[in-house]
């Protein structure tokens, strides 16, 4: 009996250290005596203790911030640009065997690509073509990280920080543009009002008695004012006759 217990204890000491649980979102990369052996899928797994070594790799999509990078644009403007990269491990053995730290390697290369790509655009293009720049960065980084078993799913530029003097210049330009548009709108309104007045005057002149009616309406408005007034009305025929004599 003591011998049996000793055997059971030895077996447990061998098996228990070799028990591994691989989560659904992980893959286990097993090295046997330092050499790649196999990849373990999710579930209850057993490896040989002291001989096998397993490294877990998260295969979920992982967002990674790219720190702010100082970039000199093609038109010699210094800006600070940062971005976010979404990547996922698609080949766990490559991610473990081809680089010491696949996340750090991806981040470092993405920073370089961010500086290189944005430096080939003018400032106006960087501000207006974010999606195009993001696609170019993703293509460059994805081509490099493919050999590490990493898939770059997306890259998004986040903040583009301009120099203070550039911000002030752009603010003045925007204010001048708003004032220009306001002046154009005001001029168009005055033009439309003048056209309406001219059209109304023409219609009154063509309508018999129209001017008399308009005159009476004007007198009615004036009469509401309590101040004293002296109004002299002349018939249209008399004014026409006076006009002819003067001419």
């Amino acid at each position: 009996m003591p011998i049996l217990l000793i055997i059971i204890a030895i077996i447990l000491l061998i098996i228990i250290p070799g028990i591994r649980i691989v989560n659904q979102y992980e893959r286990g990369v097993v090295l046997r005596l330092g050499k790649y052996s196999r990849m373990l899928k999710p579930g209850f797994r057993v490896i040989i203790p002291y001989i096998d070594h397993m490294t877990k790799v998260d295969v979920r999509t992982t967002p990674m911030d790219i720190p702010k990078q100082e970039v000199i644009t093609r038109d010699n403007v210094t800006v600070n640009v940062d971005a976010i990269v979404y990547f996922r491990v698609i080949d766990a053995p490559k991610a473990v065997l081809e680089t010491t730290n696949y996340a750090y390697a991806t981040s470092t290369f993405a920073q370089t690509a961010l500086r290189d790509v944005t430096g080939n655009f003018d400032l106006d293009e960087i501000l207006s073509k974010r999606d195009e720049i993001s696609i170019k960065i993703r293509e460059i980084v994805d081509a490099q990280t493919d050999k590490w078993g990493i898939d770059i799913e997306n890259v998004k530029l986040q903040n583009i920080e301009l120099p203070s003097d550039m911000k002030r210049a752009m603010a003045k330009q925007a204010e001048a543009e708003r004032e220009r548009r306001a002046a154009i709108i005001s001029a168009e309104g005055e033009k439309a009002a003048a056209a309406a007045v001219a059209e109304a005057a023409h219609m009154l002149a063509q309508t018999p008695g129209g001017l008399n009616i308009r005159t009476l309406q004007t007198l009615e408005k004036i009469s509401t004012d309590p101040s004293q007034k002296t109004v002299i009305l002349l018939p249209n025929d008399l004014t026409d006759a006076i006009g002819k004599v003067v001419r």
Side-chain angles (χ1 to χ4, degrees):
M1 181 66 72
I3 296 177
L4 181 60
L5 292 176
I6 293 174
I7 294 174
I8 293 175
I10 293 174
I11 292 174
L12 292 176
L13 289 175
I14 294 174
I15 293 177
I16 291 177
I19 295 175
R20 297 289 187 274
I21 302 297
V22 181
N23 294 317
Q24 182 65 40
Y25 53 85
E26 294 175 329
R27 299 294 182 269
V29 179
V30 179
L31 301 180
R32 176 165 294 173
L33 298 176
K35 184 178 180 179
Y36 174 69
S37 173
R38 65 192 184 279
M39 184 183 74
L40 300 180
K41 293 184 177 181
F44 179 85
R45 299 289 181 260
V46 178
I47 62 175
I48 301 176
Y50 315 113
I51 295 177
D52 291 343
H53 174 74
M54 187 187 78
T55 301
K56 291 183 179 181
V57 178
D58 195 321
V59 296
R60 293 174 293 183
T61 297
T62 303
M64 178 174 59
D65 284 324
I66 302 301
K68 187 181 297 181
Q69 302 295 306
E70 186 174 87
V71 179
I72 300 178
T73 63
R74 191 168 56 186
D75 51 351
N76 295 321
V77 177
T78 302
V79 296
N80 292 316
V81 184
D82 61 359
I84 186 168
V85 175
Y86 296 89
F87 73 94
R88 183 168 63 88
V89 176
I90 57 174
D91 192 327
K94 279 187 177 182
V96 173
L97 300 175
E98 298 297 331
T99 179
T100 56
N101 188 328
Y102 62 86
Y104 177 75
T106 301
S107 174
T108 303
F109 194 81
Q111 293 176 37
T112 303
L114 175 63
R115 291 192 299 268
D116 291 344
V117 172
T118 52
N120 291 324
F121 287 84
D122 294 335
L123 176 60
D124 290 341
E125 293 175 331
I126 293 176
L127 295 174
S128 61
K129 298 181 178 180
R130 292 192 179 198
D131 291 340
E132 180 180 338
I133 296 173
S134 298
I135 291 173
K136 287 183 178 293
I137 296 174
R138 188 192 68 78
E139 290 174 349
I140 293 173
V141 179
D142 191 47
Q144 175 65 27
T145 58
D146 183 62
K147 63 183 181 182
W148 302 333
I150 307 296
D151 177 51
I152 304 300
E153 296 182 336
N154 205 351
V155 175
K156 287 292 184 182
L157 294 183
Q158 294 193 103
N159 301 311
I160 300 174
E161 184 177 328
L162 304 176
S164 299
D165 54 346
M166 182 65 68
K167 289 181 180 179
R168 289 193 295 269
M170 293 180 68
K172 290 181 180 178
Q173 181 180 3
E175 183 178 358
E177 179 64 18
R178 288 193 297 268
E179 291 177 354
R180 184 185 70 85
R181 291 183 179 179
I184 292 174
I185 293 172
S186 177
E188 290 178 349
E190 292 178 359
K191 180 180 178 181
V197 171
E199 182 179 358
H202 178 72
M203 292 177 65
L204 287 173
Q206 297 297 322
T207 303
L211 290 175
N212 291 333
I213 295 174
R214 185 58 179 166
T215 301
L216 292 174
Q217 290 176 345
T218 304
L219 289 174
E220 182 182 0
K221 292 181 180 179
I222 294 175
S223 65
T224 59
D225 193 337
S227 62
Q228 296 181 355
K229 309 175 186 67
T230 301
V231 180
I232 300 175
L233 299 177
L234 296 176
N236 285 341
D237 295 339
L238 179 57
T239 55
D240 292 340
I242 294 173
K244 290 178 182 180
V245 171
V246 172
R247 288 197 293 268

